[in-house]
Amino acid sequence: MSDSTTKTVDAVIVGAGFSGMYLLHRLREMGLKAVVFEAGTDVGGTWYWNRYPGARVDVESLAYSYSFSNDLEQEFEWKERYPTQPEILKYARHVADRFDLRKDIVFRTRVTAATYNDDSRDWLIRTEYGEAVTARWFVMATGCLSSSKMPEIPGLAAFKGATYHTAHWPHEGVDFTGQRVGIIGTGSSGVQSIPVIAEQALDLTVFQRTPSYSLPARNRKLRPQEVADMKARYPEFRQEQRESGAGVPVPIPTRSALEVADAERDSIYEQAWESGSLVNLLSSFTDLAVSQDANDTAKRWIHRKIHEIVADQAVADDLCPEYPFGTKRPCLDTNYFETYNRPNVHLVNLQRTPLIEVTEKGIRTSEREYEFDVIVYATGFDAMTGSLTNVDIRGRDGLSLRETWRAGPRTYLGIGSAGFPNLFMITGPGSPSVLSNMVVSIEQHVDFVADAIGHLREQGLATIEPTAEAQDAWVDHVNEIASHTLYPKANSWYMGANVPGKPRVFMPYAGGVGEYRKKCDEVAAKGYEGFALAF
Ligand code: NA7
């Protein structure tokens, strides 16, 4: 229930990452009063929290940036091909300053609950401090990788040394000099941080449950001419991004991996490997994502590369993934596999010797106890749904989002969920989200949501909510597309498989950014078809 002390705004946005910032800007331009709640002390979202050594984005800076302001595009000077976390954070802060966003962002404040009131058609949003705000529009701009996850092993609190999670890295950094370090996790955060930690630490032991496919980033300083060229053709490039499969324009493959001779196939993989672009490798052929035989060619080729780089062939064997290439998020690295040639780096294959517990002194596997000064958890996230279900969201008649999604997330377009009027998700499950350049998908969702709100206001309408039929059809469509791919074959966070007890459902939409945008545009053009709009 709201009371006289409850503040009222038009929109409450949760999260001041790339989504929340742009949405705040859009809504303000439309004349709405919006407030953003952000748990961190600054903007940046994922790039605020993930400060671990070596953290970088795996999409090129000139493509991983907002397109909504030509002035912003022209004035910001990216320094590196794949920017570091500090550079991306600098960009986010620049955007916040440039568009004067901070005045409507409440930092250090976590939203804990949100309840829809069917009479007033408003949401009542509560923060951890008991503060309450009512708003007609409630937007979860909480990101796909923001609810971090510790491993499910006994004794986590027993360890007497220092403990860090890559997603909650201390702002002042960590000095590993002279330290014996253990790291659990070899996803992107592990793959990026392991080479950097290894250079400093006395000794680094990597605990690997599943190996990652990883490609050398071939990062470098941007050349002034390429920056100038891109700035000159940004409008055209942005359009290509929007129409592409993953928000990164690449030539569309025309041939199956199985219809070319071995030597030619190898040379195509080699070129992609040398280019330092994941999308190039993923789109080498038409069928890597759908045919096991085609995918096996890429898998075998990458295995060969790993065996060429890693001197100890038994270690190389352990570093070779068995699941199909691309079905878990592949990584982009700098000297990852090379790091295993260092004498101070050791790999523990948890598939052979599983983790048993964390002890006072370190980590015990089924084989032995390892002693450390520091343990780093690079154990990832309760991805895509965690940050949504962590807030106690109650829709019509007290319907709980957490309960409704117990068997897996159900959305229409990854934007809304039936039973939750005026609740929007930015890059929610059921949208291309994590299978794409996030900034491209974020801008598309923010524009969709802002336009929908504008449409409702123009028409004097109060609520928008997916119909159950449209939602069921969309969920079926998302599943249908996934079922034609190899994605379900891996135990990935796309499938919820990294969180014990989480339902195994392929969460992102694998139909591609361009196709998805067309669908959303059609929905909007037909007066928000599939949504019920009401006075
Ligand atoms: P990821 O990719 O989810 O990686 C987490 C890693 O931690 C992965 O290797 C996991 O093994 C491992 N893990 C998680 N829980 C455990 C337990 N209980 N025991 C042993 N090992 C465990 O998260 P990241 O932060 O690296 O990257 C997230 C995304 O950020 C990335 O995909 C990019 O999009 C950017 P598993 O594979 O589950 O067997």
Side-chain angles (χ1 to χ4, degrees), residues 149 151-152 185-189 209-210 328-329 378-381 493:
K149 180 186 156 294
E152 309 67 26
T186 50
S188 198
S189 304
R209 184 164 70 182
T210 313
K328 273 172 96 107
R329 175 76 176 222
T379 41
F381 302 87
W493 56 256

Side-chain angles (χ1 to χ4, degrees), residues 14-312:
V14 188
F18 278 55
S19 311
M21 287 200 295
Y22 177 40
L23 185 61
L24 173 61
H25 174 66
R26 278 284 327 249
L27 295 184
R28 275 201 331 208
E29 287 213 312
M30 290 161 58
L32 271 76
K33 173 72 191 148
V35 62
V36 179
F37 288 106
E38 164 58 53
T41 60
D42 204 348
V43 297
T46 286
W47 300 109
Y48 169 89
W49 296 104
N50 287 270
R51 295 165 186 254
Y52 59 83
R56 284 176 197 276
V57 66
D58 53 11
V59 177
E60 298 192 28
S61 55
L62 293 168
Y64 190 82
S65 47
Y66 288 122
S67 72
F68 71 84
S69 159
N70 183 48
D71 289 346
L72 172 65
E73 276 176 342
Q74 295 300 326
E75 78 200 7
F76 193 80
E77 295 294 339
W78 290 102
K79 302 269 182 288
E80 293 188 61
R81 181 185 184 196
Y82 291 110
T84 58
Q85 175 272 336
E87 194 179 359
I88 306 166
L89 191 58
K90 183 175 160 203
Y91 175 72
R93 297 175 64 142
H94 171 77
V95 172
D97 292 339
R98 193 185 192 294
F99 297 99
D100 195 16
L101 299 177
R102 290 174 208 276
K103 66 176 186 224
D104 290 319
I105 304 176
V106 183
F107 291 105
R108 299 170 199 268
T109 306
R110 202 171 275 284
V111 165
T112 51
T115 307
Y116 180 69
N117 181 329
D118 217 355
D119 298 327
S120 62
R121 298 187 188 80
D122 282 336
W123 283 89
L124 177 69
I125 293 106
R126 286 197 185 277
T127 74
E128 59 187 320
Y129 304 115
E131 192 182 348
V133 182
T134 58
R136 169 68 32 105
W137 319 106
F138 175 47
V139 188
M140 292 293 283
T142 35
C144 298
L145 299 162
S146 33
S147 179
S148 65
K149 180 186 156 294
M150 290 292 277
E152 309 67 26
I153 38 174
L156 288 179
F159 183 57
K160 292 271 191 268
T163 294
Y164 304 100
H165 191 290
T166 45
H168 298 281
W169 206 256
H171 289 205
E172 63 281 10
V174 178
D175 183 4
F176 291 103
T177 311
Q179 306 279 293
R180 296 164 306 162
V181 184
I183 182 166
I184 303 180
T186 50
S188 198
S189 304
V191 163
Q192 291 187 337
S193 58
I194 284 164
V196 185
I197 298 174
E199 280 183 8
Q200 236 185 34
L202 178 68
D203 210 69
L204 176 65
T205 305
V206 178
F207 293 88
Q208 171 195 272
R209 184 164 70 182
T210 313
S212 279
Y213 288 98
S214 189
L215 182 80
R218 313 216 181 273
N219 186 42
R220 57 173 170 76
K221 295 260 179 288
L222 286 171
R223 292 182 278 269
Q225 193 54 50
E226 70 186 314
V227 175
D229 289 349
M230 180 58 95
K231 287 189 174 179
R233 64 177 289 262
Y234 250 140
E236 197 187 318
F237 177 75
R238 297 303 195 187
Q239 196 50 33
E240 289 168 14
Q241 285 189 292
R242 294 180 191 120
E243 290 168 7
S244 67
V248 179
V250 277
I252 296 169
T254 52
R255 290 182 300 170
S256 157
L258 304 173
E259 70 181 71
V260 293
D262 291 354
E264 187 183 359
R265 192 190 310 111
D266 286 354
S267 122
I268 289 171
Y269 286 142
E270 185 73 40
Q271 269 177 38
W273 181 269
E274 285 303 318
S275 76
S277 157
L278 278 172
V279 206
N280 281 351
L281 192 55
L282 287 161
S283 55
S284 302
F285 296 101
T286 52
D287 46 0
L288 295 186
V290 293
S291 152
Q292 182 71 62
D293 289 344
N295 195 288
D296 282 346
T297 66
K299 173 169 127 178
R300 285 195 297 268
W301 190 88
I302 298 170
H303 284 190
R304 221 161 60 216
K305 274 281 172 200
I306 296 172
H307 277 275
E308 279 166 26
I309 299 170
V310 179
D312 182 330

